[in-house]
Amino acid sequence: MTKQEKIESRIISSTATLVSAMKQMDSLDCKLLLVFKDNLFYSMLSIGDIQRAIIKGVHLEEPVDKVLRENVKLGHEQDLLDDLKELMQKHRIEFLPILDSTGKLKEVLFWDEVFETQQPEIFKLNCPVVIMAGGKGTRLKPVTNIIPKPLIPIGDKPIIELIVDSFVKAGVADFYVSVNYKKEMIKRFFDDIPEKKYKVHYFVEKKPLGTAGSLFLLKEKLNATFFVTNCDILLKQDYAEILDYHYQHKNEITLVGAIKHYAIPYGTLETKAGGQLKSFREKPDVTFLVNAGMYILEPHLLNEIPEDTFFHITDLIEKIKARNGNVGVFPVSEGAWMDIGEWKEYNKTIARMGFGS
C-alpha cells in the first residue's frame, strides 16, 4: 500500500455511522480515522471517541460528527519535525495530520514511519490478574484430550502466555491462575520459562465451580482491584483505559463488552395485528454487545462468593445489581477481541495474526 493509499483508506465522512467507523478501523487494524466533510479535512475520530459515546448511550447508527471532540491534536506545516515527534510521543498518536495555512490536509505523519520499530509507551498498571484456566475445553476436542486449552498454541506461543505477555507489557507482575484439568502441564510450562519478570500463583479448583466459584479461594490473597480473564481470549486494548473507566464510574465490577456484528442471510419480517406485514428488511446486519470474558473486580466481592459452590460470574453480577451496586461495561470493537474458545474462532484468530497456512 502506498502512502497515499494508506491515507485515503483512513478517511471517513462526517455523515458515516459510528458502526461503519468501527468496521473501518477493524479492517485496517487501526484506532484512528481522518474525518472529512464536503471533501475537506474536518476532524479526527478515535476508537476512544466511539467508546465514550457508547458508554454515554449514543446509538451506533448515529453519525460520526455527533461524537467528535472540539480539540484534537494536529500539526501544521510550519512546525518543526522534532516538535511534531514530541507531540506524537506524548499523546501516543497513531498518525498526525499536518495542515497548511488554509486548514487543508497537506501531509500525514504515521508512527511507524517516524519511529520505525519503537512502540508507543503503555500506561503501567499496578494490580494483579486472575486467569481462569481450569476448564476442560470441551469445544476444542480432540486437541484438549491431550493438552489443556490454555496451552493451545497461537503461532509459537500458547494462548495463556500471550495473555500474560500482554499484561506484563502493561506492568503487571502478579498472576493468579485457576487450575484443575491437566494442571500439572500448565504448572510445568510456566516453571520452564527462564528468568520470568512476573510471579505465577496457582489456586486449585478441585471440582467445577462455574465461572466465578473458584475466586472464593483468593479471599485472603487479594486486597486490591484486580482483573479476571478467561484463558481463551486476547484483547487489543489499553488495559489502563478499562481500569480508568472502572474507577471513574465507581464500579464494583466492570465487564468488557465486544461489539459483534452478524449478517442475517434472510429477509426479516415484522408483523402487526392480524398478521399484516409491518416492515421488511433484506438480509440485515445486526449488532450486539457481547460478554468478552474479561472483568475488573473490587476485592470486597470475594466475600460474596460462596465457599465450594458452583457459582457463575452472572450470579455475582445479579447480587451486585440487586443492591443497586455499579456494574459497568467497557466496549471494545469486534476486531479488538480475539477468541479461541471454539475451532471456528480459533481459526479466525490464527488467520488474523498471520499464522494461517
Side-chain angles (χ1 to χ4, degrees), residues 11-37:
I11 293 175
I12 191 168
S13 168
S14 62
T15 60
T17 63
L18 295 176
V19 69
S20 66
M22 292 188 86
K23 289 181 178 180
Q24 186 171 339
M25 290 178 184
D26 282 346
S27 69
L28 297 167
D29 193 22
C30 73
K31 297 181 181 296
L32 193 63
L33 295 175
L34 298 158
V35 180
F36 271 53
K37 186 174 184 178

PDB file of all heavy atoms in Angstrom, residues 11-37:
ATOM      1  N   ILE A  11      -9.739   7.695   5.656  1.00  0.00           N
ATOM      2  CA  ILE A  11     -10.681   8.813   5.552  1.00  0.00           C
ATOM      3  C   ILE A  11     -12.106   8.298   5.710  1.00  0.00           C
ATOM      4  O   ILE A  11     -12.481   7.284   5.127  1.00  0.00           O
ATOM      5  CB  ILE A  11     -10.526   9.537   4.192  1.00  0.00           C
ATOM      6  CG1 ILE A  11      -9.168  10.239   4.118  1.00  0.00           C
ATOM      7  CG2 ILE A  11     -11.655  10.543   3.993  1.00  0.00           C
ATOM      8  CD1 ILE A  11      -8.889  10.881   2.770  1.00  0.00           C
ATOM      9  N   ILE A  12     -12.892   9.014   6.510  1.00  0.00           N
ATOM     10  CA  ILE A  12     -14.301   8.680   6.682  1.00  0.00           C
ATOM     11  C   ILE A  12     -15.117   9.958   6.634  1.00  0.00           C
ATOM     12  O   ILE A  12     -14.661  11.030   7.065  1.00  0.00           O
ATOM     13  CB  ILE A  12     -14.537   7.929   8.010  1.00  0.00           C
ATOM     14  CG1 ILE A  12     -15.961   7.355   8.052  1.00  0.00           C
ATOM     15  CG2 ILE A  12     -14.274   8.820   9.223  1.00  0.00           C
ATOM     16  CD1 ILE A  12     -16.189   6.362   9.174  1.00  0.00           C
ATOM     17  N   SER A  13     -16.318   9.866   6.099  1.00  0.00           N
ATOM     18  CA  SER A  13     -17.195  11.034   6.003  1.00  0.00           C
ATOM     19  C   SER A  13     -17.783  11.363   7.368  1.00  0.00           C
ATOM     20  O   SER A  13     -18.049  10.474   8.184  1.00  0.00           O
ATOM     21  CB  SER A  13     -18.323  10.757   5.014  1.00  0.00           C
ATOM     22  OG  SER A  13     -19.331  11.753   5.111  1.00  0.00           O
ATOM     23  N   SER A  14     -18.001  12.638   7.613  1.00  0.00           N
ATOM     24  CA  SER A  14     -18.603  13.066   8.882  1.00  0.00           C
ATOM     25  C   SER A  14     -20.032  12.559   9.030  1.00  0.00           C
ATOM     26  O   SER A  14     -20.573  12.539  10.139  1.00  0.00           O
ATOM     27  CB  SER A  14     -18.595  14.597   8.976  1.00  0.00           C
ATOM     28  OG  SER A  14     -19.368  15.166   7.933  1.00  0.00           O
ATOM     29  N   THR A  15     -20.658  12.132   7.918  1.00  0.00           N
ATOM     30  CA  THR A  15     -22.036  11.629   7.980  1.00  0.00           C
ATOM     31  C   THR A  15     -22.096  10.112   8.130  1.00  0.00           C
ATOM     32  O   THR A  15     -23.180   9.534   8.276  1.00  0.00           O
ATOM     33  CB  THR A  15     -22.814  12.032   6.712  1.00  0.00           C
ATOM     34  OG1 THR A  15     -22.151  11.478   5.560  1.00  0.00           O
ATOM     35  CG2 THR A  15     -22.885  13.546   6.572  1.00  0.00           C
ATOM     36  N   ALA A  16     -20.950   9.437   8.085  1.00  0.00           N
ATOM     37  CA  ALA A  16     -20.922   7.981   8.243  1.00  0.00           C
ATOM     38  C   ALA A  16     -21.332   7.603   9.662  1.00  0.00           C
ATOM     39  O   ALA A  16     -21.207   8.391  10.602  1.00  0.00           O
ATOM     40  CB  ALA A  16     -19.531   7.444   7.933  1.00  0.00           C
ATOM     41  N   THR A  17     -21.830   6.398   9.829  1.00  0.00           N
ATOM     42  CA  THR A  17     -22.277   5.955  11.149  1.00  0.00           C
ATOM     43  C   THR A  17     -21.097   5.500  12.002  1.00  0.00           C
ATOM     44  O   THR A  17     -20.026   5.136  11.492  1.00  0.00           O
ATOM     45  CB  THR A  17     -23.267   4.793  11.037  1.00  0.00           C
ATOM     46  OG1 THR A  17     -22.621   3.670  10.432  1.00  0.00           O
ATOM     47  CG2 THR A  17     -24.483   5.191  10.209  1.00  0.00           C
ATOM     48  N   LEU A  18     -21.328   5.482  13.298  1.00  0.00           N
ATOM     49  CA  LEU A  18     -20.294   5.021  14.228  1.00  0.00           C
ATOM     50  C   LEU A  18     -19.968   3.553  13.991  1.00  0.00           C
ATOM     51  O   LEU A  18     -18.808   3.146  14.074  1.00  0.00           O
ATOM     52  CB  LEU A  18     -20.754   5.230  15.671  1.00  0.00           C
ATOM     53  CG  LEU A  18     -20.942   6.678  16.119  1.00  0.00           C
ATOM     54  CD1 LEU A  18     -21.482   6.729  17.541  1.00  0.00           C
ATOM     55  CD2 LEU A  18     -19.622   7.436  16.037  1.00  0.00           C
ATOM     56  N   VAL A  19     -20.981   2.751  13.689  1.00  0.00           N
ATOM     57  CA  VAL A  19     -20.721   1.325  13.461  1.00  0.00           C
ATOM     58  C   VAL A  19     -19.860   1.124  12.218  1.00  0.00           C
ATOM     59  O   VAL A  19     -18.974   0.260  12.199  1.00  0.00           O
ATOM     60  CB  VAL A  19     -22.046   0.527  13.381  1.00  0.00           C
ATOM     61  CG1 VAL A  19     -22.834   0.856  12.127  1.00  0.00           C
ATOM     62  CG2 VAL A  19     -21.757  -0.971  13.459  1.00  0.00           C
ATOM     63  N   SER A  20     -20.074   1.945  11.188  1.00  0.00           N
ATOM     64  CA  SER A  20     -19.236   1.817   9.991  1.00  0.00           C
ATOM     65  C   SER A  20     -17.808   2.259  10.279  1.00  0.00           C
ATOM     66  O   SER A  20     -16.850   1.715   9.726  1.00  0.00           O
ATOM     67  CB  SER A  20     -19.832   2.624   8.832  1.00  0.00           C
ATOM     68  OG  SER A  20     -19.798   4.017   9.103  1.00  0.00           O
ATOM     69  N   ALA A  21     -17.664   3.252  11.164  1.00  0.00           N
ATOM     70  CA  ALA A  21     -16.312   3.691  11.557  1.00  0.00           C
ATOM     71  C   ALA A  21     -15.576   2.583  12.289  1.00  0.00           C
ATOM     72  O   ALA A  21     -14.384   2.341  12.055  1.00  0.00           O
ATOM     73  CB  ALA A  21     -16.402   4.940  12.431  1.00  0.00           C
ATOM     74  N   MET A  22     -16.279   1.873  13.178  1.00  0.00           N
ATOM     75  CA  MET A  22     -15.650   0.768  13.907  1.00  0.00           C
ATOM     76  C   MET A  22     -15.230  -0.341  12.940  1.00  0.00           C
ATOM     77  O   MET A  22     -14.140  -0.914  13.067  1.00  0.00           O
ATOM     78  CB  MET A  22     -16.615   0.208  14.951  1.00  0.00           C
ATOM     79  CG  MET A  22     -16.908   1.147  16.101  1.00  0.00           C
ATOM     80  SD  MET A  22     -17.877   0.362  17.416  1.00  0.00           S
ATOM     81  CE  MET A  22     -16.593  -0.394  18.368  1.00  0.00           C
ATOM     82  N   LYS A  23     -16.078  -0.634  11.978  1.00  0.00           N
ATOM     83  CA  LYS A  23     -15.742  -1.680  10.992  1.00  0.00           C
ATOM     84  C   LYS A  23     -14.531  -1.268  10.160  1.00  0.00           C
ATOM     85  O   LYS A  23     -13.674  -2.097   9.842  1.00  0.00           O
ATOM     86  CB  LYS A  23     -16.948  -1.945  10.086  1.00  0.00           C
ATOM     87  CG  LYS A  23     -18.100  -2.664  10.778  1.00  0.00           C
ATOM     88  CD  LYS A  23     -19.251  -2.905   9.810  1.00  0.00           C
ATOM     89  CE  LYS A  23     -20.383  -3.668  10.477  1.00  0.00           C
ATOM     90  NZ  LYS A  23     -21.521  -3.914   9.550  1.00  0.00           N
ATOM     91  N   GLN A  24     -14.460   0.022   9.813  1.00  0.00           N
ATOM     92  CA  GLN A  24     -13.318   0.508   9.038  1.00  0.00           C
ATOM     93  C   GLN A  24     -12.036   0.396   9.836  1.00  0.00           C
ATOM     94  O   GLN A  24     -10.994  -0.034   9.324  1.00  0.00           O
ATOM     95  CB  GLN A  24     -13.568   1.955   8.606  1.00  0.00           C
ATOM     96  CG  GLN A  24     -12.515   2.521   7.666  1.00  0.00           C
ATOM     97  CD  GLN A  24     -12.922   3.879   7.109  1.00  0.00           C
ATOM     98  OE1 GLN A  24     -14.096   4.239   7.103  1.00  0.00           O
ATOM     99  NE2 GLN A  24     -11.953   4.651   6.645  1.00  0.00           N
ATOM    100  N   MET A  25     -12.088   0.769  11.127  1.00  0.00           N
ATOM    101  CA  MET A  25     -10.917   0.629  11.993  1.00  0.00           C
ATOM    102  C   MET A  25     -10.486  -0.827  12.104  1.00  0.00           C
ATOM    103  O   MET A  25      -9.292  -1.147  12.024  1.00  0.00           O
ATOM    104  CB  MET A  25     -11.224   1.197  13.383  1.00  0.00           C
ATOM    105  CG  MET A  25     -11.358   2.703  13.438  1.00  0.00           C
ATOM    106  SD  MET A  25     -11.791   3.250  15.118  1.00  0.00           S
ATOM    107  CE  MET A  25     -11.986   5.023  14.862  1.00  0.00           C
ATOM    108  N   ASP A  26     -11.451  -1.713  12.283  1.00  0.00           N
ATOM    109  CA  ASP A  26     -11.128  -3.139  12.407  1.00  0.00           C
ATOM    110  C   ASP A  26     -10.488  -3.682  11.136  1.00  0.00           C
ATOM    111  O   ASP A  26      -9.532  -4.463  11.191  1.00  0.00           O
ATOM    112  CB  ASP A  26     -12.389  -3.945  12.729  1.00  0.00           C
ATOM    113  CG  ASP A  26     -12.797  -3.839  14.196  1.00  0.00           C
ATOM    114  OD1 ASP A  26     -11.973  -3.367  15.008  1.00  0.00           O
ATOM    115  OD2 ASP A  26     -13.928  -4.231  14.531  1.00  0.00           O
ATOM    116  N   SER A  27     -11.006  -3.272   9.980  1.00  0.00           N
ATOM    117  CA  SER A  27     -10.471  -3.785   8.719  1.00  0.00           C
ATOM    118  C   SER A  27      -9.036  -3.323   8.480  1.00  0.00           C
ATOM    119  O   SER A  27      -8.249  -4.009   7.827  1.00  0.00           O
ATOM    120  CB  SER A  27     -11.359  -3.354   7.546  1.00  0.00           C
ATOM    121  OG  SER A  27     -11.262  -1.958   7.322  1.00  0.00           O
ATOM    122  N   LEU A  28      -8.686  -2.144   9.033  1.00  0.00           N
ATOM    123  CA  LEU A  28      -7.345  -1.584   8.867  1.00  0.00           C
ATOM    124  C   LEU A  28      -6.434  -1.881  10.055  1.00  0.00           C
ATOM    125  O   LEU A  28      -5.241  -1.553  10.012  1.00  0.00           O
ATOM    126  CB  LEU A  28      -7.426  -0.068   8.678  1.00  0.00           C
ATOM    127  CG  LEU A  28      -8.164   0.436   7.434  1.00  0.00           C
ATOM    128  CD1 LEU A  28      -8.429   1.928   7.547  1.00  0.00           C
ATOM    129  CD2 LEU A  28      -7.355   0.124   6.187  1.00  0.00           C
ATOM    130  N   ASP A  29      -7.021  -2.462  11.109  1.00  0.00           N
ATOM    131  CA  ASP A  29      -6.282  -2.691  12.351  1.00  0.00           C
ATOM    132  C   ASP A  29      -5.694  -1.374  12.863  1.00  0.00           C
ATOM    133  O   ASP A  29      -4.509  -1.274  13.199  1.00  0.00           O
ATOM    134  CB  ASP A  29      -5.177  -3.729  12.160  1.00  0.00           C
ATOM    135  CG  ASP A  29      -4.610  -4.216  13.498  1.00  0.00           C
ATOM    136  OD1 ASP A  29      -5.301  -4.086  14.508  1.00  0.00           O
ATOM    137  OD2 ASP A  29      -3.458  -4.706  13.515  1.00  0.00           O
ATOM    138  N   CYS A  30      -6.545  -0.360  12.912  1.00  0.00           N
ATOM    139  CA  CYS A  30      -6.126   0.956  13.414  1.00  0.00           C
ATOM    140  C   CYS A  30      -7.170   1.468  14.388  1.00  0.00           C
ATOM    141  O   CYS A  30      -8.260   0.901  14.509  1.00  0.00           O
ATOM    142  CB  CYS A  30      -5.919   1.940  12.266  1.00  0.00           C
ATOM    143  SG  CYS A  30      -7.438   2.526  11.494  1.00  0.00           S
ATOM    144  N   LYS A  31      -6.842   2.538  15.095  1.00  0.00           N
ATOM    145  CA  LYS A  31      -7.750   3.081  16.102  1.00  0.00           C
ATOM    146  C   LYS A  31      -8.016   4.571  15.890  1.00  0.00           C
ATOM    147  O   LYS A  31      -8.480   5.265  16.790  1.00  0.00           O
ATOM    148  CB  LYS A  31      -7.174   2.853  17.508  1.00  0.00           C
ATOM    149  CG  LYS A  31      -7.025   1.375  17.874  1.00  0.00           C
ATOM    150  CD  LYS A  31      -6.478   1.199  19.276  1.00  0.00           C
ATOM    151  CE  LYS A  31      -6.314  -0.270  19.638  1.00  0.00           C
ATOM    152  NZ  LYS A  31      -7.594  -0.988  19.671  1.00  0.00           N
ATOM    153  N   LEU A  32      -7.729   5.065  14.672  1.00  0.00           N
ATOM    154  CA  LEU A  32      -7.858   6.491  14.400  1.00  0.00           C
ATOM    155  C   LEU A  32      -8.217   6.697  12.933  1.00  0.00           C
ATOM    156  O   LEU A  32      -7.689   6.007  12.052  1.00  0.00           O
ATOM    157  CB  LEU A  32      -6.533   7.187  14.723  1.00  0.00           C
ATOM    158  CG  LEU A  32      -6.493   8.710  14.806  1.00  0.00           C
ATOM    159  CD1 LEU A  32      -7.374   9.219  15.931  1.00  0.00           C
ATOM    160  CD2 LEU A  32      -5.056   9.185  15.006  1.00  0.00           C
ATOM    161  N   LEU A  33      -9.128   7.653  12.670  1.00  0.00           N
ATOM    162  CA  LEU A  33      -9.537   7.948  11.301  1.00  0.00           C
ATOM    163  C   LEU A  33      -9.528   9.458  11.056  1.00  0.00           C
ATOM    164  O   LEU A  33      -9.690  10.260  11.987  1.00  0.00           O
ATOM    165  CB  LEU A  33     -10.951   7.411  11.025  1.00  0.00           C
ATOM    166  CG  LEU A  33     -11.148   5.892  11.071  1.00  0.00           C
ATOM    167  CD1 LEU A  33     -12.624   5.552  10.908  1.00  0.00           C
ATOM    168  CD2 LEU A  33     -10.297   5.192  10.025  1.00  0.00           C
ATOM    169  N   LEU A  34      -9.327   9.824   9.782  1.00  0.00           N
ATOM    170  CA  LEU A  34      -9.417  11.216   9.341  1.00  0.00           C
ATOM    171  C   LEU A  34     -10.860  11.491   8.922  1.00  0.00           C
ATOM    172  O   LEU A  34     -11.398  10.809   8.053  1.00  0.00           O
ATOM    173  CB  LEU A  34      -8.494  11.450   8.147  1.00  0.00           C
ATOM    174  CG  LEU A  34      -6.997  11.237   8.368  1.00  0.00           C
ATOM    175  CD1 LEU A  34      -6.301  10.970   7.033  1.00  0.00           C
ATOM    176  CD2 LEU A  34      -6.388  12.454   9.051  1.00  0.00           C
ATOM    177  N   VAL A  35     -11.489  12.460   9.536  1.00  0.00           N
ATOM    178  CA  VAL A  35     -12.879  12.787   9.214  1.00  0.00           C
ATOM    179  C   VAL A  35     -12.894  13.922   8.192  1.00  0.00           C
ATOM    180  O   VAL A  35     -12.286  14.980   8.410  1.00  0.00           O
ATOM    181  CB  VAL A  35     -13.662  13.197  10.475  1.00  0.00           C
ATOM    182  CG1 VAL A  35     -15.114  13.531  10.118  1.00  0.00           C
ATOM    183  CG2 VAL A  35     -13.605  12.088  11.521  1.00  0.00           C
ATOM    184  N   PHE A  36     -13.601  13.685   7.072  1.00  0.00           N
ATOM    185  CA  PHE A  36     -13.739  14.689   6.022  1.00  0.00           C
ATOM    186  C   PHE A  36     -15.195  15.143   5.920  1.00  0.00           C
ATOM    187  O   PHE A  36     -16.130  14.364   6.158  1.00  0.00           O
ATOM    188  CB  PHE A  36     -13.297  14.115   4.665  1.00  0.00           C
ATOM    189  CG  PHE A  36     -11.830  14.291   4.381  1.00  0.00           C
ATOM    190  CD1 PHE A  36     -10.872  13.864   5.290  1.00  0.00           C
ATOM    191  CD2 PHE A  36     -11.396  14.892   3.203  1.00  0.00           C
ATOM    192  CE1 PHE A  36      -9.519  14.023   5.032  1.00  0.00           C
ATOM    193  CE2 PHE A  36     -10.047  15.066   2.936  1.00  0.00           C
ATOM    194  CZ  PHE A  36      -9.105  14.635   3.854  1.00  0.00           C
ATOM    195  N   LYS A  37     -15.351  16.415   5.593  1.00  0.00           N
ATOM    196  CA  LYS A  37     -16.686  16.991   5.373  1.00  0.00           C
ATOM    197  C   LYS A  37     -16.620  17.830   4.107  1.00  0.00           C
ATOM    198  O   LYS A  37     -15.741  18.685   3.969  1.00  0.00           O
ATOM    199  CB  LYS A  37     -17.099  17.855   6.575  1.00  0.00           C
ATOM    200  CG  LYS A  37     -18.523  18.370   6.509  1.00  0.00           C
ATOM    201  CD  LYS A  37     -18.885  19.086   7.821  1.00  0.00           C
ATOM    202  CE  LYS A  37     -20.333  19.513   7.822  1.00  0.00           C
ATOM    203  NZ  LYS A  37     -20.691  20.171   9.115  1.00  0.00           N
TER     204      LYS A  37
END
